[in-house]
Each structure stands twice: as structure tokens, then as C-alpha cells.
Amino acid sequence: ILKSYQNVLAFIFAIEEINRNPHLLPNITLGYESHNSLHSHGNIVQNILIVQTGQDRIPNYMCGRESKSLALLTGTSMATAAQSGPLLELYKFPQLTFGSFDPILSESDQFSSLYQMASEETALAQGMVSLMLHFSWIWVGVAITEGPKGLHFLADVTKEMDRNRVCMAFVKMIPVDPLSYMAHTQQHEFLVGESSAVNVVIIYYDADSLNDINYSIGLHLVTWRVWVTNSQWHADLTGKKFLLDSFHGTIIFSNHHEEISGFKHFVQTVNLSMYPEDIFLYQFWYWNFNCLISESDCSLKNCTPNASLAQLPANRFDPAMSDVSYNIYNAVYTVAHALHEMTLQQVQMQNTGSGERRTFSPWQLHPFLRSIQFTNPAGHHVSLDKKIKLDIKYDILNLWNFPEGLRLKVKVGEFSPYAIHGQQLSLFQEMIQWATGHTETPHSVCSDSCNPGFRKSPQEGKAACCFDCTPCPENEITNDTDMKNCMKCPDHQYASIQRNQCLPKAVTFLAYEDSMGMTLAGTALSLTSLTAAVLVLFVKHQDTPIVKANNRALSYTLLISLMFCFLCSLLFIGCPNTISCILQQTTFGVVFTVSVSTVLAKTVTVMLAFKFTVPGSRMRQLLVSGAPNYIIPTCTLIQLTICGVWMGTSPPFVDTNAHSEHGHIIIVCNKGSLTAFYFILGYLGSLSLISFIVAFMARNLPDAFNEAKFLTFSMLVFCSVWVTFLPVYHSSKGKVMVTMEVFCILASSSGLLGCIFFPKCYIILLKPERNSLHEFRNQRYSGRKNPF
């Protein structure tokens, strides 16, 4: 009674409003009768027979012809339709349902005389999922009442959730039959079981069998959860203390309709004297106004003085018209408009001057009901043609609990499916009261969002909303939350430490300003200066035996070439350009060839001087003719030829290396042709090996100033440096590679300078007494006695 008596009042209000309207059914007064089936199949059949026959005792003939009903308004229970449908179809008796839309009743030919006032709820699932997306609720449970309506809604909401990447944590079916519900209570573990971690649950209710699940929710005190439901849902609105309640904060999608003018005033002024034969009103009055029942005539007495429905709080009787009441209101107006159109047609077809009274059969209403279109007093367009009906606009209501059993539904937003995209949902979020325990908007996710710098990794066997957050690999980023894949940074950029953005790489090279560049350049200049000092020292003491020994000119040539070797390392320091890249390799190859070939010439000179001492011999003539001096230009010419071919085919060029050093783009000189570069190194290696072998063979030759031993050791150092260089060079990258090349140039050149000339400088500067002809002869004699 509490939840349905407003429907009776809406029915009465619509009929009385039509009867007062001079433009609708003039000179015709609508009557009505109401029946309560009490969910009994026997009562349903009995009421249908009463409506069809006009009497309630003998159903095999019709009496009371003038009071016979023309249409029947019912709910949309499938059980009711199954009982009433066959009986009503026998006589094509119009039946208008005022409950929620049932797709089975709409599609079946069994109910061709049945019309549904409610619009199809195609946008309900869309509206609920839009709410989920607005609050970022992507881990949501779904509970539906079993039956065609629930399954139809499940299909719609599953489609919407899949399209918008919202995951279902669970799907539960709520049995309609109370006995079946009690027998399957274990199916409702989603209230307190493992799935209780889900903070948001969509519950789709049909009008039948609601109290069972409400009872279970209230019994378990599921106060932390947000329930999102449809307008068919109802909570117990009577005298409980709602301070600790499972339904506080429930969000309800209710069909939007404009306020019916005068309805609130009507329900607030209704009293027993207005409708003395209304048994439902008597029951409502008895339960709400402390009335007693008179033993003499069963009338009510000692009720609250001046009792009125306006005195009741909204949780006990809400004067605002509900969805079902609004459908009843429209159903009455639909029948009235169809009857009005049929009356006008019959008036035009027959002689209105006769005194014959017009009679109507119920089946005659069908053509008019199918085509009827009108605007109700609230300004809403009404039609029974589902092709013309607009999608429902929804009001979003929030359930508020107050002390002393007061519970209110407050409008906090709207959803309009035919609004432009992005503006379909409008909310007054600050007005929403959340479930008990939530002071802020609750979260409902299976896994927390992955921050930028992480990607989502699906958890095997779980829904797409359940995932792990995996850091992005090196030089890859994610710049938004919950990204599935990391994006690789372009070559000219690198990933930040947080892996959430690509930063531009700094352009760098082995510069003079760098500590390493400054050290190498300083070392090169220092060694160049030292070599020049040795050259000056030798020139100053050019007539001494130690300088004149082993060809003074070759010594000068070697010292000058070593100066250029040290200076050529400077070509590798600083910002590379095309000229410097070409000069790096050609200068390196040529000056080192001069140096090594000079060492070879000095070694050959020693061999010819001490091995072939017979006057007039062919080898002796080579020494006298200066043949060793031709070794240098010959070897250098060969190296120049290799360099010429290299420069002509694939010369070095300026290149960038974006991968060897994190966060930097290194400007380097690309060799162009690695084959040509290794030809140069191979040629130098061959000269060095020959010089080492010849010097090693001459190491024991007697002479006070024989430098064969020093030449042998210098070649050993030279070869060791470059043999070590090759694997290190290939394993290094970027500036380290350039640094290694410069270091090897300086180290190998320093080996030649130190091993060949430092012993002679030691004698010249610190042991001048040994730099004389007398000492020369003594050392020569002792050298023959004590070979190396």
C-alpha cells in the first residue's frame, strides 16, 4: 500500500481531470473500477472475467452493459500477462501496461492487444556506464533479477561496459521466487564474500520480488558500497533509524517527466470523506494516522485530527509523481484521447439527430490506440508507436538518510541520450551523499592506475581491468596513465629518469673544454715541446759521437715526424668537420708511416754497418750509397697511395652517434670505409713488425753507441700499444672511442721518443764524459767482450 497507493491516486486524478475538461470527451463521463490481484493467479482470472462480463458471478453471459469497461490498465508482470493475455485476446480487449518496459510483451504476437506505456529502456545501461566513466569506476559488480527484463538489461550493460572498457567484477542473478531465493542464499556471497572489495554495484530491479535482496543487503550492513539502480528499486521507507544503513548514498536512475500541475495539491487534500468507498484509502489512513476501528460499523475513529497526506514525511508518502504513476496518468489520457477520436468518427458517420445512444465495443479502440498522438497537460508528447517514442531522459536521484526514520530522494543530475556527445551526463557532484564511510568520491578499481613511466601488464586469467604496472624499458616512455605500451623515444631524444617524457639530447664531442679533452691536448702539446727540446739538444750536440752515430739525419727526421705524430692527435679533439675528419686519418697514417719507416731505416743502417763490414761488398756499397734513406719516401709513398684510394672512394665524414652515451648525441668522424682504415693500420703494423724483427737481429752488434737495443724495445712498445688498442677500440663507443685513439697515438709516439732518445739525452746532459771518442773506444772494446 505504501508504495502503490500513489498509483491509485494518479489514476483517480487523471480521470477527474479529464471529466472536468470540456474539450476532451464532452458530454461523456469516464468511470472506473479497480481490482487488486494480490499476486494470485486465481484473483487475476477472476478480475479479468469481471472486467469483460460486467458481473462477478456467472461468466457465461454479459449483463450490466452500460457499465462494461472499455480498457484495462495493468502492471507488466509476465505472470500477470500470461494469465490475462489469452482471455483478453479472445475479445481483442485493449490492455495498457504502466510498469517498466518488457521486451517479451512487445515482440510476441500473443499480446497483440497489449500496449506498453513505458518507453524502451535502451539508454538506461548507457546512462549508468556514463556515470561509471565520470567517476572512473571501472571495476563494477552487476546484480539483476532473473527473467527476460534482467537478461535484456544485462546484454545492454555488457555491451556498453565492453565498449567503454569498464569491467564486470561479477554478475549475480536474483531469483524472483522467494522460496528459490532462500534456497540459493549462497549465491549472494557478493554482499560479504571475496567480491565485497568491489565498491560499486549496479542492481537492476524488476517490479516483482524486491524485498528479499533488500533484506539481505540490510541484514549484512553493506554500508561501504555504492548501489546504482533503476527506478523500480525501492528501499524500506518506514520508521527505521537510518543513521547506519546500507542504502545511504544509493544512486537511482529515474525516468524524467515534468511535474503534473495540481497533482501534489490533489494528493495532499485527499481524505476519507472525498472517497468513502475507497477501501485502499481506508487502509492507508488506518496505518498512518493512528486510527481505531469501530466495532459497530467497521468505520475508522479517533484518527489524527485534520489528518492529511500532506502531514506525512516524504519517506512515508511522496507527493511527487513516480514513474509508474506517471505512466498510469498517461495511460488514462491515452484511452480518453482514443475514445474521443472514435466518438468523433462515429458522430460523422451516423445521423446525430436520432435519439439513439452511442455504444462502443472495446475492440474498436485498437486502430485509434495504435495511431494516437497527443501532448499531455505536462507538455510531454505521448504515443504508443515505439518508432515515434523518444528515448527516455533520466533524472539521477541520490538517497539521503536522516535521523528519526527520514529518508529523501534528491535530484543530483540528469542523463539525456539525445544530447550532444560529452554533454549527455550532467551532475551536481557536490550534492551527492556517498555511502557510509566515504567522505570523498569512492574508488572502484581492480588495480590502481599505472602512472606515467609504467605500462599495464595483464594478469593472466583475470579481467582486463586487473593488471600489474611494469616499468618501461630503457629509452622508452609512457606519458599518460594506464598505457598498454611504452613508446620509444626518437634518436635525437632520450627518456627521463621517471620514463615519463622524452628529453632532447645534448650535442657533445671531445671538446677542448672537457677535462679529458683538456688533458689530452695538454699532454700532446707537452710531448711536442719535449720532442722539440730533444731536437734542439741534438742539433746543439750534433758533432758529438752519440749524435753522429746511427745516421744523424735519420734521428732528426724521426724527431720531426714524432712532433707531427703528437700534433696530429689534436685533430681528434674539438668539433669535427669534414676537413678535420679527412685530415685525422690521412695525417695519422702518413706521419706514423714516416716515423716507423725512419725507425726501419735506422735499423737497416745498423745492420749494414755492423753485419757487412767487408770493404767493396755489395751490402757495404748500399750503406755507402745511402740506400737506407730511400726506405722512408718509398714506404710513405705506398701509404699515400692507400690514403688517396680511400679519400677517392669512401672518404671520412661527419656523423652522429645517438646511442653510445645516454642523453647525448655525439658528433664523431665516421671512417667512411673501415676496410681502408684497417689497410692503413695493417700497413703500419707490417712496417712495425719488420722494424722489430730487424732491430731484434741487430741487438747484439758491438758498438758504444749502437741503438739497436733501444730500437728493438721501442718497436716492442709500439706494437704492444696498437695490439692492445684494437680490441679496446672496438668495445668502446662515442667519445671514449675517440679518446682511446688519441691515447694510443700519444702512447705509441711516446714509446718511440722515450726508448730511442731518452738514453742518449741522459748521456748528453748527465754523463758528458761518456760522449767522447776515448770513451767510445773503451765501450766498443768492452762491448765485444760482453755481448747482449
Side-chain angles (χ1 to χ4, degrees), residues 290-309:
N290 302 317
C291 299
L292 297 177
I293 300 178
S294 174
E295 295 181 358
S296 59
D297 56 0
C298 293
S299 62
L300 298 181
K301 64 180 182 178
N302 298 330
C303 298
T304 302
N306 301 319
S308 169
L309 297 179

Side-chain angles (χ1 to χ4, degrees), residues 7 43 54 71 87 113 116 179 225 232 260 290 301 326 370 375 391 435 514 528 552 632 642 657 660 665 748 764 768:
N7 302 339
N43 286 337
L87 291 174
S113 299
Q116 299 193 66
L179 294 178
R225 181 167 283 164
Q232 300 301 316
I260 303 297
N290 302 317
K301 64 180 182 178
Y326 188 72
R370 295 189 183 101
T375 301
D391 289 336
D514 295 345
T528 302
R552 179 173 54 192
I632 300 173
I642 298 175
N657 187 338
S660 62
I665 296 177
S748 58
I764 294 173

Side-chain angles (χ1 to χ4, degrees), residues 516-727:
M516 182 58 68
M518 191 178 299
T519 301
L520 294 174
T523 303
L525 293 175
S526 300
L527 292 173
T528 302
S529 302
L530 181 60
T531 307
V534 173
L535 179 60
V536 170
L537 182 65
F538 269 50
V539 172
K540 184 177 180 181
H541 298 84
Q542 59 182 337
D543 295 327
T544 60
I546 200 169
V547 175
K548 293 170 66 177
N550 303 110
N551 197 326
R552 179 173 54 192
L554 291 177
S555 296
Y556 293 161
T557 303
L558 181 57
L559 286 170
I560 294 172
S561 66
L562 287 175
M563 290 174 59
F564 281 104
C565 284
F566 290 129
L567 291 175
C568 83
S569 65
L570 299 177
L571 294 172
F572 293 84
I573 305 173
C575 184
N577 54 62
T578 303
I579 296 176
S580 66
C581 288
I582 294 175
L583 289 178
Q584 280 180 12
Q585 308 305 326
T586 55
T587 304
F588 161 73
V590 171
V591 297
F592 265 83
T593 301
V594 173
S595 299
V596 176
S597 61
T598 302
V599 173
L600 178 60
K602 289 175 72 66
T603 308
V604 171
T605 300
V606 173
M607 287 286 293
L608 293 176
F610 293 97
K611 284 283 188 180
F612 305 100
T613 58
V614 179
S617 64
R618 188 174 181 181
M619 292 297 179
R620 190 69 179 177
Q621 289 178 358
L622 290 175
L623 175 63
V624 174
S625 63
N629 295 332
Y630 291 101
I631 295 177
I632 300 173
T634 302
C635 294
T636 304
L637 182 61
I638 295 174
Q639 187 70 288
L640 285 172
T641 302
I642 298 175
C643 290
V645 174
W646 183 8
M647 297 303 115
T649 55
S650 181
F653 56 91
V654 179
D655 197 5
T656 56
N657 187 338
H659 305 288
S660 62
E661 189 172 335
H662 180 71
H664 294 85
I665 296 177
I666 303 174
I667 302 178
V668 295
C669 287
N670 191 301
K671 297 294 188 294
S673 172
L674 285 177
T675 303
F677 175 69
Y678 288 125
F679 258 111
I680 288 179
L681 291 182
Y683 181 66
L684 282 174
S686 300
L687 289 179
S688 303
L689 184 60
I690 294 172
S691 299
F692 173 73
I693 294 173
V694 175
F696 185 78
M697 293 172 59
R699 72 189 186 284
N700 292 326
L701 294 177
D703 188 34
F705 302 108
N706 178 17
E707 58 184 2
K709 297 178 182 179
F710 304 128
L711 292 174
T712 302
F713 192 63
S714 68
M715 284 295 97
L716 180 62
V717 172
F718 186 88
C719 292
S720 299
V721 169
W722 285 103
V723 168
T724 306
F725 160 77
L726 289 176

Side-chain angles (χ1 to χ4, degrees), residues 71 271 458:
N271 55 60

Side-chain angles (χ1 to χ4, degrees), residues 306-615:
N306 301 319
S308 169
L309 297 179
Q311 299 173 359
L312 296 176
N315 62 295
R316 298 177 73 83
F317 186 87
D318 189 355
M321 186 173 283
S322 67
D323 293 346
V324 173
S325 297
Y326 188 72
N327 289 338
I328 291 175
Y329 180 82
N330 284 334
V332 174
Y333 264 91
T334 300
V335 173
H337 278 277
L339 184 59
H340 183 84
E341 293 295 326
M342 186 172 68
T343 302
L344 290 178
Q345 186 183 79
Q346 289 193 1
V347 167
Q348 295 172 359
M349 293 177 62
Q350 63 183 340
N351 184 5
T352 57
S354 65
E356 183 181 354
R357 293 177 60 122
R358 299 186 298 273
T359 58
F360 307 105
S361 297
W363 61 266
Q364 294 177 292
L365 278 179
H366 283 298
F368 302 95
L369 288 173
R370 295 189 183 101
S371 61
I372 196 67
Q373 294 185 48
F374 65 94
T375 301
N376 69 8
H380 179 243
H381 181 78
V382 179
S383 173
L384 297 182
D385 188 348
K386 63 180 182 180
K387 297 180 180 180
I388 301 177
K389 286 184 179 179
L390 295 175
D391 289 336
I392 301 174
K393 181 178 179 180
Y394 291 96
D395 291 333
I396 302 175
L397 309 179
N398 188 217
L399 202 62
W400 290 5
N401 289 338
F402 295 94
E404 301 302 324
L406 180 61
R407 170 176 277 165
L408 297 178
K409 295 178 181 179
V410 180
K411 181 177 177 179
V412 295
E414 291 182 350
F415 177 78
S416 178
Y418 40 83
I420 61 175
H421 184 71
Q423 298 182 12
Q424 294 174 319
L425 181 70
S426 61
L427 283 175
F428 303 102
Q429 191 167 335
E430 64 279 358
M431 294 180 59
I432 299 178
Q433 294 285 324
W434 296 113
T436 306
H438 293 290
T439 56
E440 298 179 348
T441 303
H443 298 282
S444 190
V445 295
C446 180
S447 300
D448 291 330
S449 295
C450 292
N451 294 324
F454 295 83
R455 66 176 179 85
K456 297 197 301 185
S457 298
Q459 294 181 358
E460 187 175 356
K462 293 188 177 181
C465 297
C466 301
F467 49 82
D468 298 318
C469 294
T470 305
C472 286
E474 185 178 357
N475 208 39
E476 294 186 12
I477 67 159
T478 54
N479 55 8
D480 202 355
T481 57
D482 292 338
M483 293 187 67
K484 292 183 177 180
N485 299 302
C486 298
M487 301 179 295
K488 191 174 183 63
C489 289
D491 287 343
H492 64 279
Q493 294 180 336
Y494 70 99
S496 62
I497 297 177
Q498 296 80 13
R499 309 283 172 87
N500 59 359
Q501 61 177 330
C502 290
L503 303 175
K505 291 183 177 179
V507 178
T508 185
F509 48 85
L510 185 60
Y512 288 103
E513 294 79 8
D514 295 345
S515 58
M516 182 58 68
M518 191 178 299
T519 301
L520 294 174
T523 303
L525 293 175
S526 300
L527 292 173
T528 302
S529 302
L530 181 60
T531 307
V534 173
L535 179 60
V536 170
L537 182 65
F538 269 50
V539 172
K540 184 177 180 181
H541 298 84
Q542 59 182 337
D543 295 327
T544 60
I546 200 169
V547 175
K548 293 170 66 177
N550 303 110
N551 197 326
R552 179 173 54 192
L554 291 177
S555 296
Y556 293 161
T557 303
L558 181 57
L559 286 170
I560 294 172
S561 66
L562 287 175
M563 290 174 59
F564 281 104
C565 284
F566 290 129
L567 291 175
C568 83
S569 65
L570 299 177
L571 294 172
F572 293 84
I573 305 173
C575 184
N577 54 62
T578 303
I579 296 176
S580 66
C581 288
I582 294 175
L583 289 178
Q584 280 180 12
Q585 308 305 326
T586 55
T587 304
F588 161 73
V590 171
V591 297
F592 265 83
T593 301
V594 173
S595 299
V596 176
S597 61
T598 302
V599 173
L600 178 60
K602 289 175 72 66
T603 308
V604 171
T605 300
V606 173
M607 287 286 293
L608 293 176
F610 293 97
K611 284 283 188 180
F612 305 100
T613 58
V614 179

